[in-house]
Amino acid sequence: FSDHVEHFVAAAKGTSHVLRLIRDVLYFQPTGRGTDIAAALGYLSRVTHRRAIVFLLSDFLTTGYERLLRIAARRHEVVAVRVIDPRERELPPSGLVEIEDAESGRRFMIDAASSTFRRLYAQKSAERAEQFRQLCRSCNVDVIDVRTDGRYVDPLVRFFRQRERRTRR
């Protein structure tokens, strides 16, 4: 999904289905701009009637999806895979920088040399991250953090090992 649902793959079992999902995630080219998690969760509730394990991949930097996430988490087992770019958490002291919002295309000039601006930016980012954690905790949604500057396999393996231990109990 982007600002609308662009591609849907019905649930299935087997290695070939898993490989298809991986291929689709890696090679799909979206046509929309932006992120509408609420639209994706609404679509999920309309097309999926049986209980399922749902992996929701996003940076979760948008709002307005909280109510639908709660609804989806009551019906399904939802796992939020949050993609984290460290540069969206803390800015290096690099002077005047022009940045572009990837979703809206709007451009901004910021003073990354200002320690006050960098501190407020990091503080706001930490607050958003904590609000997301609290939301997921209250909905009983598992979270996997995958960083863009690191290996994505390690957090996934760690999650599935923890999940396996939990289900054995």
Side-chain angles (χ1 to χ4, degrees):
F1 67 93
S2 58
D3 55 356
H4 63 282
V5 175
E6 296 194 22
H7 185 64
F8 175 75
V9 179
K13 294 181 181 180
T15 306
S16 61
H17 183 70
V18 170
L19 293 173
R20 177 190 176 186
L21 290 174
I22 292 169
R23 185 192 69 224
D24 286 357
V25 167
L26 291 176
Y27 295 107
F28 182 75
Q29 294 296 314
T31 58
R33 232 178 132 96
T35 303
D36 192 345
I37 297 172
L41 291 170
Y43 185 84
L44 172 71
S45 69
R46 288 191 303 276
V47 300
T48 308
H49 303 290
R50 294 173 50 197
R51 183 165 170 76
I53 299 174
V54 176
F55 288 86
L56 186 59
L57 283 76
S58 176
D59 58 11
F60 294 95
L61 294 178
T62 187
T63 59
Y65 63 89
E66 296 83 0
R67 184 179 71 78
L68 289 169
L69 179 62
R70 288 183 196 286
I71 292 169
R74 279 194 299 257
R75 177 184 247 174
H76 306 289
E77 184 176 341
V78 178
V79 179
V81 181
R82 182 171 47 173
V83 180
I84 297 173
D85 185 338
R87 292 170 293 191
E88 292 174 346
R89 296 269 172 108
E90 289 188 28
L91 294 172
S94 53
L96 290 176
V97 178
E98 183 178 26
I99 59 173
E100 180 179 335
D101 183 324
E103 295 188 6
S104 69
R106 293 186 357 215
R107 293 176 175 264
F108 303 90
M109 186 68 76
I110 61 169
D111 183 7
S114 165
S115 61
T116 303
F117 179 81
R118 288 193 322 275
R119 182 177 42 75
L120 290 172
Y121 183 88
Q123 181 181 348
K124 187 68 173 168
S125 176
E127 288 171 8
R128 267 195 320 267
E130 182 55 30
Q131 288 171 347
F132 177 72
R133 279 195 208 297
Q134 288 177 2
L135 170 66
C136 290
R137 207 173 299 124
S138 71
C139 296
N140 202 26
V141 169
D142 288 324
V143 178
I144 304 172
D145 286 332
V146 178
R147 294 175 52 105
T148 58
D149 65 343
R151 294 172 38 93
Y152 62 89
V153 173
D154 296 337
L156 293 172
V157 168
R158 192 170 32 256
F159 169 76
F160 284 110
R161 284 187 179 144
Q162 287 173 347
R163 180 184 158 91
E164 183 179 21
R165 273 187 247 123
R166 255 192 336 234
T167 56
R168 272 194 252 148
R169 292 180 193 163

